[in-house]
Amino acid sequence: MSEQEGLPSGWAWATVGELAERVVVGFVGPSTGHRSSADVPLLMGKNVRDGKLDLSDAEYVTKAFHARERKS
């Protein structure tokens, strides 16, 4: 299997270090009142497994919450 196999056209595998200058703790506080069915993915610790990002059970927040909370 090639390294790019299984990815959408135009996508490539990358490490977090290749994509971000700095990774910090995001929004800390309740977000349950701002959940959405599919607006903006809310990444949580449960989404990082075995060194990979697993979005199979991702939760989402509203676009308004995301715009207001810089670290969301």
Side-chain angles (χ1 to χ4, degrees), residues 4 6-12:
Q4 303 306 319
L7 293 177
S9 177
W11 286 42

Side-chain angles (χ1 to χ4, degrees), residues 21-43:
E21 290 179 14
R22 192 175 85 175
V23 177
V24 298
V25 172
F27 175 77
V28 177
S31 62
T32 53
H34 305 282
R35 297 294 166 88
S36 162
S37 60
D39 282 338
V40 179
L42 178 65
L43 300 179

Side-chain angles (χ1 to χ4, degrees), residues 13-24 43 48 51-53:
W13 288 106
T15 66
V16 171
E18 293 170 318
L19 300 174
E21 290 179 14
R22 192 175 85 175
V23 177
V24 298
L43 300 179
V48 180
K52 297 180 178 143
L53 198 56

Side-chain angles (χ1 to χ4, degrees), residues 26-35 42 44 59-62 65-66 68-69 72:
F27 175 77
V28 177
S31 62
T32 53
H34 305 282
R35 297 294 166 88
L42 178 65
M44 301 175 166
E59 297 182 38
Y60 295 82
V61 292
T62 64
F65 177 81
H66 177 66
R68 185 176 67 244
E69 298 297 337
S72 77

